[in-house]
């Protein structure tokens, strides 16, 4: 996870395991759920941060991880869970 968190500073694009992307999204869910626990205005900074995290997760997925179907035609179950968590 340390390498994943520092991926912006890497010289090359690294494709991590599907489980890594699921863990990262799971960490973000804490931020998203925290937004719903306090009454706030629609443009509360916490809402903007949570939205930014989710959008960035989707934008920075490698091309090979954007689809849950591998090139071989089989399904990546872990990546499927990550995409479903994102959509939830």
């Amino acid at each position: 996870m340390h390498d994943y968190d520092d991926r912006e500073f890497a010289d090359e694009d690294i494709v991590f395991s599907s489980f890594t992307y699921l863990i990262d999204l799971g960490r973000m869910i804490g931020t998203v759920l925290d937004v719903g626990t306090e009454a706030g205005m629609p443009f509360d900074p916490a809402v903007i941060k949570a939205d930014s995290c989710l959008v960035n997760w989707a934008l920075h997925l490698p091309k090979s991880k954007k689809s849950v179907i591998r090139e071989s035609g089989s399904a990546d179950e872990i990546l499927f869970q990550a995409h479903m968590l994102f959509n939830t």
Side-chain angles (χ1 to χ4, degrees), residues 27-72:
R27 293 188 301 185
M28 285 181 221
I29 293 302
T31 304
V32 173
L33 292 176
D34 187 44
V35 170
T37 60
E38 297 179 21
M41 299 181 63
F43 294 103
D44 186 357
V47 172
I48 295 170
K49 179 182 177 189
D51 183 56
S52 297
C53 287
L54 291 172
V55 168
N56 282 329
W57 182 87
L59 288 175
H60 288 100
L61 275 178
K63 188 175 181 177
S64 63
K65 300 291 182 179
K66 292 194 185 279
S67 174
V68 298
I69 305 298
R70 296 182 184 114
E71 289 181 16
S72 64

Side-chain angles (χ1 to χ4, degrees), residues 5-26:
D5 291 336
D6 292 338
R7 68 191 180 278
E8 289 86 14
F9 304 109
D11 294 333
E12 61 204 36
D13 289 335
I14 303 170
V15 178
F16 294 91
S17 71
S18 297
F19 194 60
T20 305
Y21 296 103
L22 177 61
I23 290 171
D24 185 39
L25 194 55

